[in-house]
Amino acid sequence: MSKVSNCLQMIQVLMARPKVKIQDLADELEVKPRMVRVYRDELEKAGIYIQSERGINGGYSLDSRSILPIRNFTSDEVQELQIAIQSYLSKQPNLETTLNNALEKIRAFQRDQELSSRHFYFANDHLINTEIGNESEHYKQLFDAFSQRRKVLIAYEAASTSEVTTRTIHPYAFVVYDESMYCVAFCELKQAMRTFKIIRIHSLKQQKERYTIPQAFDIREQFPKLGFIQEPQKVELIIKSPTSNLVKESIYGIDQVIEPLENNAIRFKATLNGSESIKRWILGMGTNVQVIGPATLKQEIHKEIKQMLNQYKDLY
């Protein structure tokens, strides 16, 4: 197969499995392991980032942020693909059914992905444990109401006052931010768009009345206006090897800058959001990271480490 075909096949394999060893990828693609690394480099040039983990249990995995609707086919690309298929069919008419079916699937996928991208937003790549409390069940019910465009009556607890109010909402979208899931909805009580942290919903009931979502609504455009991002932090870190190798393979902020240092260490600078997620990420790197700035973050990390040490003071 051609390089393009192998790259596409490699993406399909990585999408189907959480992690695949390089040798296994090489066997499936019928190439040498060094070619798998070449394909990885080519995909990263196209903005499809593949994470690498070393060791006996290591391998390649697909960065979830790479598979976004913006990487999907444009209408012009679909049209060009159709022209190419028609041209090819003039020489291989026996493949007409197969190729036309494939083109229809691309068109359908394009429509589905565009719809999904307008109503689902992952502000970070952390997975959330939706099995805690009623969050999982409430999300399923909200999603069902969203799919049918039915209003939902909820009992919601305010974060600031702990007051529980009853209100009718129209689910417009869902957002994962700082390891929590939110429903973005029109609130009839406030007569405005509001965000509801799903874990704070005490109860909900789908209503018979339906609602409509404005055709122009797009959560990607609305997200910056919803109040999630309040105080972005300009973070500067010194990260040692081998953790530095993993960090270099991902994009954590659009203004990210990585400066190589001695012994394969790096100086990492980026504007990041979600203070708790930032601290968990840094603490997860253990002794391989040093916080340079901001000073407040450095103090918070120091405080967290002291509290951790106090839990084990009986050992020394």
Side-chain angles (χ1 to χ4, degrees):
M1 289 192 290
S2 68
K3 182 185 289 187
V4 173
S5 297
N6 278 341
C7 284
L8 292 173
Q9 180 65 21
M10 184 168 162
I11 292 173
Q12 290 180 345
V13 172
L14 292 173
M15 287 181 69
R17 306 176 209 169
K19 189 188 299 178
V20 185
K21 293 183 179 295
I22 296 176
Q23 185 61 58
D24 292 342
L25 277 170
D27 292 342
E28 293 203 30
L29 300 176
E30 298 180 351
V31 297
K32 295 181 179 179
R34 67 177 182 82
M35 286 305 300
V36 173
R37 296 183 178 90
V38 171
Y39 300 151
R40 175 178 177 271
D41 293 341
E42 291 296 323
L43 289 169
E44 291 202 346
K45 290 178 183 177
I48 300 175
Y49 299 96
I50 296 174
Q51 296 175 330
S52 175
E53 184 177 334
R54 297 182 179 181
I56 191 170
N57 296 317
Y60 281 174
S61 60
L62 199 61
D63 189 332
S64 60
R65 289 166 294 184
S66 299
I67 306 303
L68 294 173
I70 59 172
R71 302 303 308 176
N72 201 6
F73 294 104
T74 65
S75 57
D76 289 341
E77 288 170 336
V78 172
Q79 186 176 10
E80 290 294 330
L81 185 59
Q82 184 173 15
I83 293 172
I85 288 176
Q86 290 172 345
S87 175
Y88 184 75
L89 286 176
S90 65
K91 301 175 183 177
Q92 300 287 343
N94 59 308
L95 296 177
E96 179 176 5
T97 301
T98 300
L99 291 178
N100 280 334
N101 285 343
L103 185 61
E104 282 304 313
K105 287 179 181 178
I106 290 172
R107 288 173 177 154
F109 182 73
Q110 178 77 5
R111 291 191 293 270
D112 291 344
Q113 284 292 84
E114 176 57 26
L115 177 63
S116 295
S117 67
R118 288 171 48 217
H119 298 281
F120 295 87
Y121 192 94
F122 290 81
N124 52 34
D125 63 341
H126 296 289
L127 297 176
I128 61 173
N129 185 0
T130 55
E131 298 306 318
I132 296 177
N134 295 318
E135 188 173 17
S136 178
E137 185 58 34
H138 286 169
Y139 166 71
K140 292 175 184 176
Q141 293 179 45
L142 285 167
F143 179 77
D144 183 62
F146 163 78
S147 300
Q148 299 184 53
R149 300 295 192 269
R150 292 190 183 276
K151 298 180 181 182
V152 183
L153 182 68
I154 66 171
Y156 188 73
E157 180 181 337
S160 56
T161 63
S162 296
E163 179 186 6
V164 178
T165 58
T166 301
R167 54 183 82 191
T168 300
I169 65 171
H170 310 174
Y172 274 34
F174 299 91
V175 170
V176 174
Y177 179 76
D178 207 10
E179 300 192 27
S180 295
M181 181 172 280
Y182 298 80
C183 177
V184 177
F186 177 82
C187 176
E188 291 188 356
L189 179 66
K190 300 295 184 180
Q191 284 295 298
M193 294 295 297
R194 290 290 186 270
T195 58
F196 299 93
K197 195 171 186 177
I198 295 180
I199 203 168
R200 292 201 199 113
I201 296 177
H202 286 216
S203 63
L204 61 85
K205 184 177 181 180
Q206 193 175 125
Q207 306 295 289
K208 293 182 179 179
E209 296 87 354
R210 296 181 180 271
Y211 66 94
T212 57
I213 297 177
Q215 188 67 30
F217 177 84
D218 192 325
I219 189 59
R220 294 168 295 184
E221 297 178 2
Q222 292 294 322
F223 180 77
K225 311 172 188 176
L226 295 174
F228 285 97
I229 302 175
Q230 297 177 357
E231 295 182 2
Q233 296 190 60
K234 291 186 178 295
V235 175
E236 181 177 350
L237 312 171
I238 299 294
I239 304 173
K240 301 176 185 177
S241 179
T243 306
S244 58
N245 296 325
L246 298 175
V247 172
K248 286 188 290 188
E249 293 172 353
S250 298
I251 297 177
Y252 298 87
I254 58 174
D255 60 348
Q256 176 174 308
V257 175
I258 292 179
E259 175 190 341
L261 302 175
E262 293 182 357
N263 300 319
N264 205 31
I266 60 172
R267 184 184 299 274
F268 173 93
K269 297 179 182 179
T271 301
L272 306 178
N273 300 301
S275 59
E276 291 304 313
S277 287
I278 294 171
K279 285 192 289 185
R280 277 191 289 270
W281 177 56
I282 292 172
L283 289 166
M285 289 188 273
T287 58
N288 285 330
V289 63
Q290 177 186 355
V291 178
I292 305 301
T296 53
L297 176 60
K298 194 170 185 176
Q299 291 165 0
E300 289 173 10
I301 293 292
H302 182 261
K303 180 180 178 181
E304 191 83 21
I305 292 172
K306 285 185 65 176
Q307 291 175 344
M308 291 171 65
L309 285 171
N310 285 335
Q311 294 185 36
Y312 300 97
K313 60 185 179 181
D314 59 320
L315 297 177
Y316 54 89

